[in-house]
């Protein structure tokens, strides 16, 4: 049993009964994806779909001809389609896979206290996009609150004090963006959604009024209170400026951050919306 994956399964199991709490978050993401369907339409792929508490699958199935849900956790996907009464809809496709391809190696690295060579192999493997494992290209690709989890697996496997920790995080983040982009067909669209801090380390997140929310988040970010590797500015930088991926995209837009209510805990969430450029 992969200990790192087991933590994901447990988190998904525990967060299942949050359909009601998550309504605002779900409506926002479903709304963004519905708008993108109007400009792009066709086939949607969701990375980190899990319980799908953040997707109204019935609404999305009215605007997309195919919806591909991707996650490590088969039971979460099964729960999602049954809970939303959409399991019989032929437009829904489930794909159970590790979106880094290195989850098992990370778990072995952790349990067997492996050395430098094993870590180098992991870093090398992270340079490979995982898009070939899915039936792309898609018209719209959405990554939904999975990136912080992918990075958390590195935190748990290697530890924050490891000399190559930062390099690993950069590799995981880079691979995830590369995979998402490789899955989008020319002219298609992407939506990367990432939680970046929670009320566990920022207790006022739950109570701060909407009009002070952005200012509050700026304070958190400047005091370095955010999850490893997912500072919204860093996410934006993946697709802007000198980044190797920047030339593949256009209309890159940082959405207004919002709150994701997960019952006992709340998260601040960043969103990036963009289009894949046509080849010249
Ligand atoms: C925070 S949850 C996303 C929330 C989910 N969309 C929902 O509303 O229920 C992150 C998801 O990423 C999945 N995940 C984590 N690591 C993964 C990996 N290496 N490959 C594929 N999925 C992974 C987890 O199983 C989990 O379902």
């Amino acid at each position: 049993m992969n200990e790192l994956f087991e933590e994901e399964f447990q988190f998904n199991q525990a967060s299942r009964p949050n359909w009601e709490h998550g309504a605002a978050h779900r409506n926002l993401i479903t709304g963004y994806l519905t708008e993108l369907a109007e400009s792009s339409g066709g086939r949607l792929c969701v990375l980190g779909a899990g319980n799908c508490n953040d997707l109204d699958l019935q609404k999305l199935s009215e605007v997309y001809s195919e919806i591909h849900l991707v996650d490590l956790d088969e039971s979460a996907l099964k729960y999602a389609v049954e809970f939303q009464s959409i399991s019989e809809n032929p437009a829904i496709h489930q794909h159970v896979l590790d979106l880094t391809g290195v989850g098992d190696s990370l778990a072995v690295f952790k349990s067997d206290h492996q050395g430098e060579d094993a870590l180098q192999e992991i870093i090398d493997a992270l340079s490979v996009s995982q898009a070939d494992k899915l039936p792309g290209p898609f018209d719209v690709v959405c990554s939904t609150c999975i990136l912080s989890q992918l990075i958390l697996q590195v935190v748990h496997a290697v530890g924050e004090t490891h000399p190559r920790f930062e390099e690993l995080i950069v590799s995981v983040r880079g691979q995830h963006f590369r995979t998402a982009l490789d899955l989008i067909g020319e002219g298609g669209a992407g939506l990367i959604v990432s939680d970046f801090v929670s009320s566990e380390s920022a207790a006022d997140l739950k109570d701060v009024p909407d009009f002070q929310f952005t200012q509050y988040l700026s304070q958190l970010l400047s005091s370095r209170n955010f999850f490893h590797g997912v500072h919204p500015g860093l996410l934006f930088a993946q697709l802007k400026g000198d980044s190797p991926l920047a030339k593949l995209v256009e209309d890159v837009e940082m959405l207004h951050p919002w709150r994701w209510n997960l019952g006992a805990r709340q998260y601040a969430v960043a969103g990036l919306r963009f289009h894949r450029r046509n080849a010249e």
Side-chain angles (χ1 to χ4, degrees):
M1 178 60 77
N2 182 322
E3 189 186 321
L4 302 171
F5 292 173
E6 190 56 35
E7 283 177 32
E8 299 292 339
F9 301 157
Q10 282 173 12
F11 180 87
N12 283 342
Q13 187 87 39
S15 59
R16 251 163 229 180
N18 282 304
W19 177 258
E20 295 297 335
H21 286 129
H25 176 62
R26 175 172 60 257
N27 291 342
L28 213 53
I29 295 180
T30 303
Y32 284 132
L33 290 175
T34 304
E35 278 172 28
L36 289 175
E38 280 159 16
S39 61
S40 305
R43 309 173 78 221
L44 168 67
C45 177
V46 183
L47 309 177
N51 295 327
C52 295
N53 275 338
D54 50 6
L55 302 168
D56 188 325
L57 295 173
Q58 292 286 356
K59 281 195 184 145
L60 291 171
S61 69
E62 288 166 17
V63 292
Y64 286 100
S65 56
E66 289 179 28
I67 301 176
H68 293 256
L69 304 172
V70 187
D71 204 282
L72 198 60
D73 187 348
E74 186 171 13
S75 77
L77 293 179
K78 189 165 178 287
Y79 160 82
V81 296
E82 279 168 13
F83 179 74
Q84 298 198 41
S85 310
I86 201 155
S87 55
E88 302 298 319
N89 187 325
I92 305 284
H93 302 262
Q94 297 175 43
H95 305 275
V96 177
L97 65 97
D98 170 14
L99 274 163
T100 63
V102 299
D104 285 333
S105 307
L106 277 174
V108 173
F109 181 87
K110 179 175 193 286
S111 62
D112 295 1
H113 308 289
Q114 288 179 320
E116 205 46 38
D117 290 351
L119 201 57
Q120 188 56 52
E121 275 179 31
I122 291 172
I123 291 174
D124 291 345
L126 285 168
S127 66
V128 180
S129 162
Q130 300 297 294
D132 287 354
K133 295 182 178 169
L134 289 162
F138 297 96
D139 298 290
V140 177
V141 171
C142 173
S143 160
T144 172
C145 296
I146 178 178
L147 186 55
S148 60
Q149 297 304 116
L150 300 181
I151 292 176
L152 197 60
Q153 284 156 27
V154 170
V155 176
H156 289 165
V158 175
E160 301 167 42
T161 54
H162 193 284
R164 300 190 77 182
F165 177 66
E166 215 40 58
E167 188 185 354
L168 264 163
I169 287 186
V170 168
S171 305
V172 169
R173 189 176 56 221
Q175 183 205 40
H176 189 64
F177 270 82
R178 182 80 231 188
T179 299
L181 255 64
D182 285 350
L183 287 168
I184 305 173
E186 281 182 20
L191 178 68
I192 307 265
V193 175
S194 181
D195 46 316
F196 61 93
V197 61
S198 85
S199 53
E200 201 174 11
S201 68
D204 295 336
L205 190 63
K206 289 178 172 182
D207 306 313
V208 70
D210 285 347
F211 76 98
Q212 286 175 340
F213 189 56
T214 311
Q215 192 194 350
Y216 176 68
L217 292 180
S218 303
Q219 284 164 5
L220 293 179
L221 294 174
S222 47
S223 57
R224 303 204 54 77
N225 188 353
F226 55 89
F227 301 151
H228 285 293
V230 287
H231 184 300
L234 270 178
L235 302 182
F236 191 60
Q238 298 302 302
L239 301 180
K240 292 298 277 187
D242 296 338
S243 148
L245 299 180
K247 56 183 179 304
L248 303 176
V249 294
E250 58 192 2
D251 312 327
V252 182
E253 203 186 337
M254 192 93 216
L255 304 168
H256 275 296
W258 66 90
R259 270 179 272 231
W260 171 24
N261 182 352
L262 206 67
R265 208 180 286 175
Q266 292 205 11
Y267 294 81
V269 175
L272 261 182
R273 182 167 56 185
F274 54 91
H275 281 85
R276 172 100 204 200
R277 240 182 239 280
N278 288 323
E280 277 152 29

